[in-house]
Amino acid sequence: MNKLIILAGISGAALTSVIAAPAMADDSTSTVIQSNTGNEANVDQTGSLDGASSLIDQSGASNLADVNQSDNGLAGVTPTNTSEIFQTGNGNEAYVIQKDSAQSAYIEQSSDGNFAEVQQGFVNDGSQDTSNNMSRVIQAGGGNNTAYVDQIQADNVESFVEQLGTNQMAMVDQSIVGEHDHSDVDQFGDNQFAEVLQPGDFNDSFVTQTGADNRAHVLQSGNDNYSRIDQGMSGNFARVDQLTDGNMSTVNQVMSTNGTVNVTQ
């Protein structure tokens, strides 16, 4: 049985929009809660054979949330993919695309003007395992933050992005057949940039940025690597490339200004 639950409130002349594609699969559930003006929610679960779960809660104004869920019908567990989007701020955009099975996405946007996109899974024919991925994005602080999480060709990876400042950019790419990778990006202050690429397996990356105008780049194409970058003050640059296996790197620029660090392992 497919379930669609809509709780929408419209005040004044503002329009609140909900678009739910007709469901073709059993046991999918979509819940949309709108309690402000000018919000739009789009949910497509037509390709979900095992059933999916989507929750969109828009208590802010002029937000957009778009969820597309499909699976290969092989998991035998319902719901196989889950997505939760909470937009308490205004003027935010959130996109979730889930394929394969056992994907989990959570997006919370409590400030204004944020953008978040999460893509999980690659194929639905069972030819490649791109399942069991998890992404969590929290955008608060001053707003105007951007987060991209790509787990398209990944298997058993997890990503945490927390942006509590203003004009932050986080890009996490775990899509190139990575397995059992972990990425954690925490951004405070203003105008931070973090990029994490994990095409290898069993890698851990931690990036923490405070202050302003810091840049961090991490590439882990080898396996079983550990990288930690801590940046404070302002104007720092750190790049860590871990191309072989079993490496450990720690970069501390908490008390630095306009510092540069390049690490290749």
Side-chain angles (χ1 to χ4, degrees):
M1 176 181 297
N2 302 300
K3 299 178 182 178
L4 172 62
I5 303 169
I6 301 175
L7 301 174
I10 305 176
S11 62
L15 173 65
T16 299
S17 174
V18 178
I19 301 175
M24 299 173 61
D26 290 334
D27 300 316
S28 290
T29 300
S30 173
T31 301
V32 178
I33 303 170
Q34 296 178 320
S35 54
N36 212 317
T37 62
N39 292 301
E40 179 179 342
N42 306 303
V43 181
D44 187 345
Q45 298 172 318
T46 56
S48 185
L49 304 179
D50 276 330
S53 174
S54 170
L55 169 62
I56 297 174
D57 190 339
Q58 298 171 312
S59 58
S62 302
N63 295 297
L64 170 63
D66 191 285
V67 177
N68 188 300
Q69 297 172 304
S70 60
D71 62 74
N72 57 24
L74 302 176
V77 178
T78 300
T80 182
N81 294 320
T82 62
S83 172
E84 294 180 297
I85 298 175
F86 296 90
Q87 297 174 314
T88 59
N90 304 319
N92 297 295
E93 295 183 37
Y95 299 88
V96 174
I97 300 175
Q98 296 176 315
K99 297 181 180 181
D100 209 327
S101 61
Q103 317 288 8
S104 174
Y106 178 95
I107 298 175
E108 179 182 322
Q109 298 172 314
S110 59
S111 56
D112 301 340
N114 298 296
F115 179 97
E117 179 181 281
V118 176
Q119 297 191 56
Q120 299 175 309
F122 178 58
V123 293
N124 289 323
D125 60 7
S127 62
Q128 180 180 340
D129 188 2
T130 58
S131 62
N132 293 289
N133 301 304
M134 190 275 289
S135 173
R136 183 179 179 91
V137 177
I138 296 178
Q139 297 175 313
N144 296 314
N145 300 302
T146 301
Y148 293 94
V149 179
D150 187 344
Q151 299 173 326
I152 294 178
Q153 289 184 282
D155 175 28
N156 283 285
V157 301
E158 55 186 12
S159 169
F160 299 86
V161 175
E162 187 171 20
Q163 298 174 311
L164 303 182
T166 304
N167 297 322
Q168 319 281 17
M169 169 72 79
M171 303 175 64
V172 179
D173 189 345
Q174 301 170 310
S175 67
I176 310 175
V177 202
E179 296 184 6
H180 301 281
D181 293 316
H182 174 97
S183 172
D184 194 327
V185 176
D186 295 309
Q187 296 176 311
F188 309 87
D190 302 323
N191 305 312
Q192 316 283 15
F193 179 90
E195 179 185 46
V196 179
L197 307 177
Q198 295 179 310
D201 301 333
F202 296 95
N203 294 301
D204 292 299
S205 171
F206 300 87
V207 176
T208 302
Q209 298 173 311
T210 59
D213 301 305
N214 296 299
R215 296 179 63 90
H217 301 263
V218 178
L219 170 61
Q220 296 176 313
S221 57
N223 305 321
D224 297 296
N225 294 298
Y226 174 93
S227 170
R228 183 175 189 91
I229 297 175
D230 293 302
Q231 297 177 310
M233 305 301 285
S234 64
N236 295 297
F237 176 91
R239 183 180 186 92
V240 176
D241 291 341
Q242 296 178 313
L243 312 180
T244 57
D245 301 340
N247 300 295
M248 178 178 291
S249 171
T250 300
V251 176
N252 189 323
Q253 297 175 309
V254 174
M255 301 303 295
S256 173
T257 299
N258 298 321
T260 298
V261 174
N262 291 284
V263 177
T264 303
Q265 297 176 311

